[in-house]
Amino acid sequence: MMKKQFFLPMLIIMLLLNGCSLTQIIEDEGSADLSFEQLYSSLEAEEDSSIEDIDKETALEEDSSTDHLDSSVAASTEVGGGILSDPSDINLRDTDGNGKNYLFTYDGEDFSVVYTTDNWKIYDSYKINNTEDMTIICEALISVHQIHGSDMESYRTAEDMAYEWLQHNIAYQFLSDDSSWKVHAQNVDLDPKDQGKSFSEIYEDRTGKEFNLKDFLQSP
C-alpha cells in the first residue's frame, strides 16, 4: 500500500521532469477547476501503461552514468534504490546535548533537525527525494523521540512520516520560485496534526480555502 501511495506523486514528478509542465497536464484534462485528487485519478488510470516504462528507465539509469543529471533530479525519479540501508547510516547526533538540536548526514551533506514536543522539523528537506531513504531517516528520528499520531494516543510510523514529507516535496517541485508557499514546502514539520494528509488537505487546513490546483500554482 505504501508503494502505491508513493508511486502516484513520483509519476507526477516524472512527467514534470520529462518536460511536461503542470499547466499542460491540467489543460490536457480540459478543466480549469481540476483538483489535486482529480489529477491523481487521471494519472492513476495511466499507471499500468506507465509503470513499465518507468521501471525500464530506472534500470537504464542504474546501468549507466548519471553524471549529466543533477543529483536531486536523479533521486526524484527513483521509487526505490536508496543509498541508505540502516538508520545508523545518517549519523544522527545531538549537537547541544539538550535533546533538541540535531544534525544528520545524507549523501555527504549535513541536515539540521530540531525536536520540540511532538514535532520533528527537518530543514531543507526538499533536497531528499528518495522515499526509501526518507523512511529510514524517519526511523532514526523516532528512535530518539517518538511523535504521537493524530489521535494523540498512537505513535506515528516512519512510513506515514515519510508520506507527509513527500507531500511537501511534491509542493516544492510544483511551485514557482516567487510563490510564498515555496518557503513552507522547503522544510517539513512532522507532527500529529498532518498525519496521513495530502498536501491539498494541508493547504486547506492552513488557509481555510478549498484547494484548487491552478489557484495553488498561481499563489503569490
Side-chain angles (χ1 to χ4, degrees), residues 45-63:
E46 301 175 11
E47 177 177 345
D48 290 340
S49 61
S50 298
I51 192 167
E52 183 177 349
D53 293 337
I54 291 173
D55 286 343
K56 288 179 180 178
E57 182 175 344
T58 301
L60 288 173
E61 288 175 356
E62 291 174 350
D63 293 338

Side-chain angles (χ1 to χ4, degrees), residues 38 53 67 69 78 84 103 123 135 151 174 195 219:
Q38 287 170 318
D53 293 337
D67 291 342
L69 295 173
E78 294 180 0
L84 302 177
L103 286 176
Y123 288 90
T135 303
D151 61 7
F174 285 174
Q195 182 182 29
S219 62

Side-chain angles (χ1 to χ4, degrees), residues 10 38 48 64 72 76-77 80 146 156 163 168 178 184 190:
M10 284 302 159
Q38 287 170 318
D48 290 340
S64 62
S72 63
S76 67
T77 64
Q146 288 186 297
R156 298 196 61 172
Y163 176 75
H168 283 72
D178 60 354
H184 295 282
L190 301 170

